[in-house]
Amino acid sequence: MMTQFALEEQAKYLEKLFNNAEIEINGTIQAVTLTSSREGSKVRFFIDIPPHVVGRITKRIIKNAAGQVCWSDQPGKFVMDKPDTNVWTEIPIQATWKEVANT
């Protein structure tokens, strides 16, 4: 089983890996600000959507420095009607060890 220390190291790596975000709003992709915080093996990513961005958000996307998608909402799983106010949406990720039975 992976130790708590190892899980926390994985969370640190994950936090460094994700460094920019986009949203799909009104059918178009738009870059937005991504910040994060880490507590133990849990990383919380925050997508900041400014007030002037208004409409229906249907996908949140997080990419690495090379522009590769590291995480995104599954199609049809996220819908948010965004008003003309500043909105933060959170994506919490918990590093865990999953044991698989040998067969």
Side-chain angles (χ1 to χ4, degrees), residues 54-68:
V54 177
R56 178 162 281 193
I57 300 171
T58 52
K59 186 182 273 189
R60 301 167 295 175
I61 303 162
I62 300 177
K63 295 183 175 183
N64 65 11
Q68 298 168 314

Side-chain angles (χ1 to χ4, degrees), residues 5 7 11 13 16 19 31 33 35 41 54 58 65 77-78 88-89:
F5 170 77
L7 290 172
Y13 178 74
K16 291 176 186 175
N19 67 0
T33 304
T35 57
S41 60
V54 177
T58 52
K77 294 290 183 178
F78 182 83
W88 287 59
T89 179

